[in-house]
Amino acid sequence: MCNRTFFFEQILYFFVRKMYIRCTDYIGGYLIFVKCIGNAIVVNQEVSVRKNFVDTEESYILQFFWIFHGILFGNPVYKDLRQVFLKTFDKDVVNILLVGSDNGAQGSEKGDHGRSDSMMVATINFKTKELKLTSFLRDMYVEIPGHGRNKLNAAYAFGGEALLYQTLAQNFNIKIDKFCVVDLAAFEKVINRIGGIEMTLEQREAEYLNTTNYISKKKYRNVKVGKQTLNGNQALGYARVRHVFSKKYGVEEFGRTGRQRAVMQATFQKMLQQNPLDLVDIAIDALGDVSTDMDATYIKKLILSVAKMGTTEIDQLRVPIENTYKTAVAGSYPPCGYVFFVNFKANQEALKYFMFNKGKRQDFAKNYGGADAAETCGYPSKYDYNRSKGDSGNIFNSSDTTEGE
């Protein structure tokens, strides 16, 4: 039996190599699609397999070979292959997973990931010329493949960016193309390189930043109420504030993720004032401080393509969206403690519309069961409404949405 399998494997490899050579003559550009599929599949293997993928002809051929091998011979690594191909995919849309981590690039390379400090997906839609940013609350109670239920940010601690991607894909049915783990020190450097960012601080925020160590360098604890330019150290401190109520974003994790999206928006707007080639230099210089599967060539093309779009705004979304979650204490901490139980169907449909423009704009919470449809796993829980209307978790509420629009 083994000899017969080996014989068929040789024939398969010969066929795949011939097909690859023929494809490069006619549809070479589609090889990027092959790599995306290959990377999407190997997230089921060790992290190092995906991170060490080399852009060579032989690598592409082997990716093709193992895809077909999994289909024909039932390799257990590809048992979820059908689910991978069923994920929402649109060639005009690129999704980049952004992970903020205190351990950063060095920790990621050593396998010492730690729990992710922030998790966002940046969406670039080249067809509609839209830029979008989705933040995921780290305390959502989700199914982590191979580890059972836990907080979302535990996925990164257990298996790095690969397992975090797989967790987001399984729970929210989205496809992610690239990733970038950002060291907080690198975040400061980039903002300083572009001359700081303009932010508007509320009174409570300014007072808190000036009297705590969220701004790590004491000499910069001099922010004020209202509009001002923050340097990298100040912006990082602002983005990490959690225990201060914001009139615009809300309190606790709602306020924190809202501030993070605001910082990203301000950073992008400041970048628009720079020469695109200067931005390429900044991004390439930062590669040593991040862990990413994007090389210098890809980053250059991405920056120039986005600059060419002429887009000046970033649409924002918070997951879970409003009225699709309940809060509770799930056991003791560690491992969990305070969590958000989520109505996954409502958020999947909202993400499909927001990221890929598929389906129709509607009140997703109302039409998919609301907070009552959240998966509470038997824990006593309640819906704790985030009362800040300015937060992007509210964008699909019936108050500002017309079904079928």
Side-chain angles (χ1 to χ4, degrees), residues 343-378:
N343 175 339
F344 290 103
K345 181 61 177 176
N347 284 277
Q348 288 171 3
E349 293 300 316
L351 283 166
K352 184 168 69 172
Y353 174 80
F354 183 73
M355 287 185 174
F356 300 95
N357 292 329
K358 294 184 180 296
K360 61 183 180 181
R361 183 180 176 90
Q362 57 184 289
D363 188 335
F364 292 101
K366 178 181 177 181
N367 294 342
Y368 289 93
D372 290 337
E375 297 182 16
T376 61
C377 305

Side-chain angles (χ1 to χ4, degrees), residues 23-79:
C23 286
T24 57
D25 292 336
Y26 299 102
I27 53 172
Y30 281 49
L31 295 179
I32 300 300
F33 174 70
V34 175
K35 180 182 176 182
C36 289
I37 293 179
N39 282 341
I41 292 172
V42 300
V43 297
N44 292 300
Q45 303 181 54
E46 294 296 327
V47 177
S48 59
V49 175
R50 183 167 183 256
K51 289 187 67 175
N52 294 331
F53 181 88
V54 180
D55 283 315
T56 64
E57 180 178 279
E58 191 65 25
S59 293
Y60 281 122
I61 292 172
L62 287 174
Q63 287 280 0
F64 249 137
F65 171 77
W66 285 114
I67 291 171
F68 287 112
H69 186 282
I71 296 173
L72 295 176
F73 297 104
N75 190 323
V77 169
Y78 304 103
K79 62 183 179 180

Side-chain angles (χ1 to χ4, degrees), residues 141-150 166-168 170-171 344:
Y141 199 57
V142 299
E143 182 71 31
I144 300 177
H147 298 273
R149 288 187 175 270
N150 207 317
Q166 193 177 2
T167 301
L168 289 171
Q170 176 173 310
N171 288 273
F344 290 103

Side-chain angles (χ1 to χ4, degrees), residues 190-241:
V190 169
I191 291 181
N192 287 333
R193 281 282 300 270
I194 62 176
I197 58 175
E198 191 173 88
M199 299 297 301
T200 300
L201 271 60
E202 298 174 16
Q203 182 173 347
R204 291 181 181 178
E205 294 171 332
E207 292 175 352
Y208 191 77
L209 286 170
N210 288 334
T211 56
T212 64
N213 62 358
Y214 273 79
I215 296 178
S216 62
K217 297 177 182 177
K218 193 172 182 179
K219 63 181 179 179
Y220 294 137
R221 295 174 194 167
N222 55 4
V223 297
K224 60 185 181 181
V225 178
K227 187 179 293 187
Q228 63 208 282
T229 298
L230 302 183
N231 62 31
N233 192 245
Q234 293 169 328
L236 176 59
Y238 173 76
R240 301 187 72 182
V241 169

